[in-house]
Amino acid sequence: MKVLIAGGSGFIGSHLCDYFLGKGDEVVCVDSLITGSKKNIEHLKDNQKFKFIKHDISEPLDLEIDAVLHFASPASPVYYLKYPFDTLKAGSYATHNLLDLAKKNNALFLLASTSEVYGDPLEHPQNESYWGNVSSTGPRSVYDEAKRYAEAVTMAYHNYHGLKTRIVRIFNTYGERMMPDDGRAMPNFINQALKHQDITVYGDGSQTRSFCYVSDLVRGIYQLLISDESMPVNLGNPNEMTLKDLAFYIKDIVGSEGKFVYQDLPEDDPKLRCPNITRAQNILDWTPVVGIEAGLKKTIDYFKYL
Ligand code: UDP
């Protein structure tokens, strides 16, 4: 296969480039480098089957391709607030452009959607049939509504044009190549712990998330791409924990002397998040296998030598 990975020099995108190249496929990585980094794909530059194109996919692009994966968007709360219009365009114009390209080539199309489509959920854990509790005007709306719109356009191409489409709803994912300054809990806590600085817990730290190690996620995305499933599928690790617990784990593994400091909880910050992954288990025969301790150790090692 010749695979286009839009957002291929971002955190998850770059791991997808490695995965497809490892399977013997050709990869075209397209990235505007607004939040992606060339460092994430540096090791691929001499690979004959790899090509990088610097391009903002909210502008059309013409290529011959067998599969299109849309991972192009700012994705951390700090960055989508910094780049609201790029985020909205990534969900709208970019999704249209990539769907058009897939249609022209009769290619497979996979959309990276998000657990943010469930907003601050009133159903817990979240399964794919839940419609969400999302603000269309709040600070997170530029990302949440862009992704919800992207899902709608993807389904329309599937229903009206018969395009083979896939939608993955990605829950919190961590691992090597996360941006150290993207403001998310994982890089913040790890950097603070490594420097023996205070660890910034927002709110009282009782809000929950469920963290999936990146290799598990990437394997699930591939299984979804090659499946026949056009309805959204959650991928994430259902091992739910409070943010305070995550901070404790990281502090403990690093041996940090920093103490916890409590700061204001950002507006509309979801109180609970945990995927129901029954559909992924049944349809894709997928389940995450990397535990939090093993994943954290690898991630901390990566941040140590940045
Ligand atoms: N958070 C925190 N301290 C930080 C950064 C984030 O306590 O330094 C909290 C944040 O308020 C949220 C959770 O950690 O409740 C996860 O936030 P993140 O930005 O990683 O992603 P989100 O899951 O909200 O998209």
Side-chain angles (χ1 to χ4, degrees):
M1 276 203 300
K2 190 171 174 188
V3 184
L4 186 158
I5 303 177
S9 59
F11 162 46
I12 296 173
S14 66
H15 285 278
L16 283 167
C17 292
D18 290 343
Y19 194 86
F20 281 95
L21 289 167
K23 290 225 169 269
D25 295 319
E26 271 182 69
V27 170
V28 181
C29 165
V30 175
D31 205 300
S32 67
L33 298 178
I34 290 179
T35 55
S37 165
K38 272 200 123 170
K39 259 177 68 186
N40 291 340
I41 49 166
E42 178 71 22
H43 60 291
L44 302 174
K45 70 176 189 308
D46 296 326
N47 189 322
Q48 299 297 308
K49 292 193 162 178
F50 179 76
K51 186 175 173 191
F52 172 73
I53 301 174
K54 184 176 182 303
H55 177 78
D56 180 348
I57 199 61
S58 61
E59 300 292 334
L61 181 72
D62 198 13
L63 280 175
E64 280 186 14
I65 212 80
D66 302 305
V68 175
L69 284 81
H70 182 9
F71 280 74
S73 177
S76 82
V78 167
Y79 272 85
Y80 55 68
L81 291 180
K82 188 170 170 190
Y83 299 111
F85 299 106
D86 294 290
T87 305
L88 286 159
K89 283 185 198 167
S92 53
Y93 300 155
T95 308
H96 274 281
N97 288 336
L98 290 169
L99 282 160
D100 276 343
L101 184 65
K103 180 169 170 272
K104 188 174 165 196
N105 283 275
N106 196 23
L108 277 170
F109 175 88
L110 183 141
L111 172 71
S113 185
T114 167
S115 54
E116 290 281 336
V117 301
Y118 302 122
D120 189 6
L122 304 176
E123 179 178 305
H124 191 73
Q126 295 79 55
N127 73 55
E128 293 87 345
S129 59
Y130 178 52
W131 287 359
N133 176 38
V134 186
S135 162
S136 58
T137 52
R140 295 173 93 105
S141 63
V142 292
Y143 185 65
D144 300 7
E145 296 293 12
K147 288 290 187 183
R148 289 169 68 93
Y149 176 82
E151 287 197 4
V153 192
T154 302
M155 288 312 296
Y157 270 73
H158 175 71
N159 292 328
Y160 294 94
H161 296 307
L163 196 69
K164 290 188 192 117
T165 59
R166 318 278 178 256
I167 297 175
V168 53
R169 291 186 179 154
I170 299 171
F171 283 66
N172 293 67
T173 300
Y174 69 104
E176 297 89 324
R177 303 188 198 144
M178 285 191 100
M179 280 203 302
D181 63 347
D182 81 356
R184 282 192 253 219
M186 192 64 84
N188 276 7
F189 291 173
I190 294 177
N191 279 324
Q192 290 159 348
L194 286 170
K195 293 178 187 154
H196 299 282
Q197 293 170 345
D198 291 345
I199 296 177
T200 53
V201 177
Y202 299 162
D204 63 3
S206 64
Q207 69 273 32
T208 68
R209 296 292 187 272
S210 312
F211 295 94
C212 183
Y213 185 64
V214 65
S215 61
D216 279 332
L217 179 84
V218 163
R219 184 170 44 83
I221 290 169
Y222 181 78
Q223 315 251 106
L224 176 60
L225 182 74
I226 61 171
S227 79
D228 279 334
E229 186 56 49
S230 56
M231 293 304 286
V233 177
N234 288 340
L235 289 181
N237 190 322
N239 176 22
E240 183 182 8
M241 66 187 72
T242 65
L243 264 293
K244 187 81 187 279
D245 279 345
L246 176 71
F248 267 117
Y249 280 136
I250 293 173
K251 184 169 148 64
D252 192 47
I253 294 173
V254 171
S256 169
E257 285 156 23
K259 54 183 193 320
F260 299 123
V261 289
Y262 295 90
Q263 299 184 350
D264 289 346
L265 194 65
E267 194 182 335
D268 290 348
D269 197 281
K271 288 178 269 310
L272 299 170
R273 185 183 290 155
C274 179
N276 177 326
I277 58 165
T278 310
R279 266 168 62 73
Q281 285 169 322
N282 291 342
I283 297 171
L284 311 177
D285 194 22
W286 174 86
T287 204
V289 295
V290 181
I292 188 76
E293 207 174 310
L296 278 180
K297 282 187 177 153
K298 288 182 202 220
T299 312
I300 289 167
D301 271 350
Y302 170 79
F303 277 89
K304 217 183 263 176
Y305 300 110
L306 270 184

